[in-house]
Amino acid sequence: YEGQLKELSNTKKDFADRLKDVGKSLENLGDRVGKVGKELSMKLTTTITAAGAGMVALATKAGQTADRLLDLSDITGMTTDSIQQWQYVANQAGVNTEAMTSAVEGLVRKIPQLESEGGKVTEQLNKLGLSYEYLKGLSPDEQVDALMYSLAAMEDPLERNAAGSQLFGGAWRDIAPMLGMGQEGIENVRREAETLGLVLDRDALEGANEFRQEMDRMKAVLGATAMQIGSE
């Protein structure tokens, strides 16, 4: 009986020692998990912060682009949809989009003057199958489409260049590569812009522009606050 008690006591001691070992192992595991968690937290915090900054920068850039499109719409009278489509055509033709929009901007301003200019301008319009009276009854979007498509449809590049230079002036060389795509090519690219979701509706553009305005407002307030603190 005494031998059995002694053996039981030894077994209990051995079990207790093993429990202590397990406890130490768990403690070590907890420390290691804690260290890993801390490292992950530091790395993820940096990543999340960087991602957040990137998102803000992206939204700010979107706001600036939206502001430019809305300004162009106000200047030319064209819809933002049409402007974005023509910008995509310029992009696909390897033409600077700002050069293209500036050329269209000049064209829209010039259309009301076509009647008084007469001479070579009227002659070139006639070659395109167009007239001032016809253009006058169209919306700005339709006016640009009519002129651009008529020019693109001309098979003789010399005649196209002569007509284009009369209508666009010096800006003609910036948009000539677009018209080299031909009318059908231009129409396909414009449809592609819609299909790919590259044309944002006006509500989305105005929302992006409002974000830009709020960011500019916040920067102005922070800048003024910094100046005030600095002066004090």
Side-chain angles (χ1 to χ4, degrees):
Y1 179 73
E2 287 179 356
Q4 290 177 337
L5 285 176
K6 185 176 181 181
E7 184 178 350
L8 179 62
S9 176
N10 289 337
T11 301
K12 288 172 66 178
K13 183 175 183 300
D14 184 52
F15 182 68
D17 289 342
R18 289 189 179 186
L19 279 179
K20 287 181 181 178
D21 290 341
V22 171
K24 287 180 179 178
S25 296
L26 288 174
E27 185 178 352
N28 290 336
L29 177 62
D31 290 342
R32 291 165 73 180
V33 169
K35 288 179 181 178
V36 171
K38 186 176 180 181
E39 289 178 8
L40 278 175
S41 177
M42 292 175 64
K43 291 178 181 177
L44 287 175
T45 298
T46 303
T47 303
I48 291 169
T49 301
M55 292 290 282
V56 171
L58 184 62
T60 302
K61 184 177 180 181
Q64 292 168 346
T65 301
D67 179 48
R68 174 62 176 154
L69 286 168
L70 292 169
D71 286 347
L72 283 170
S73 180
D74 291 337
I75 293 168
T76 63
M78 296 172 66
T79 62
T80 53
D81 284 10
S82 183
I83 293 171
Q84 290 174 91
Q85 290 168 5
W86 280 111
Q87 285 186 338
Y88 184 63
V89 173
N91 176 273
Q92 292 300 291
V95 175
N96 183 286
T97 55
E98 278 300 311
M100 177 269 163
T101 50
S102 296
V104 171
E105 184 181 332
L107 175 64
V108 171
R109 283 202 308 265
K110 188 174 183 178
I111 287 175
Q113 305 169 9
L114 295 180
E115 185 177 33
S116 59
E117 288 188 9
K120 290 185 178 180
V121 176
T122 300
E123 181 184 338
Q124 296 302 336
L125 279 177
N126 291 336
K127 287 183 180 180
L128 295 174
L130 301 173
S131 66
Y132 170 74
E133 288 300 324
Y134 171 72
L135 291 173
K136 188 170 63 172
L138 302 178
S139 68
D141 281 1
E142 293 169 336
Q143 289 174 346
V144 172
D145 289 358
L147 287 166
M148 296 289 277
Y149 286 144
S150 296
L151 284 166
M154 294 183 76
E155 295 182 0
D156 188 338
L158 294 178
E159 285 191 359
R160 183 170 65 226
N161 289 338
S165 61
Q166 284 294 325
L167 293 168
F168 289 95
W172 166 247
R173 60 179 175 273
D174 294 322
I175 64 169
M178 294 169 55
L179 300 178
M181 298 168 68
Q183 181 178 349
E184 186 177 351
I186 291 173
E187 289 175 339
N188 290 337
V189 172
R190 292 185 71 179
R191 280 195 296 269
E192 183 178 84
E194 291 283 356
T195 303
L196 295 176
L198 302 178
V199 178
L200 298 178
D201 62 39
R202 192 174 180 94
D203 287 342
L205 293 174
E206 288 177 348
N209 191 42
E210 286 175 9
F211 175 84
R212 177 198 61 79
Q213 291 171 335
E214 290 299 328
M215 286 295 292
D216 288 347
R217 189 175 293 113
M218 183 181 71
K219 289 176 184 177
V221 170
L222 290 175
T225 302
M227 289 290 291
Q228 185 176 0
I229 293 172
S231 63
E232 290 180 359

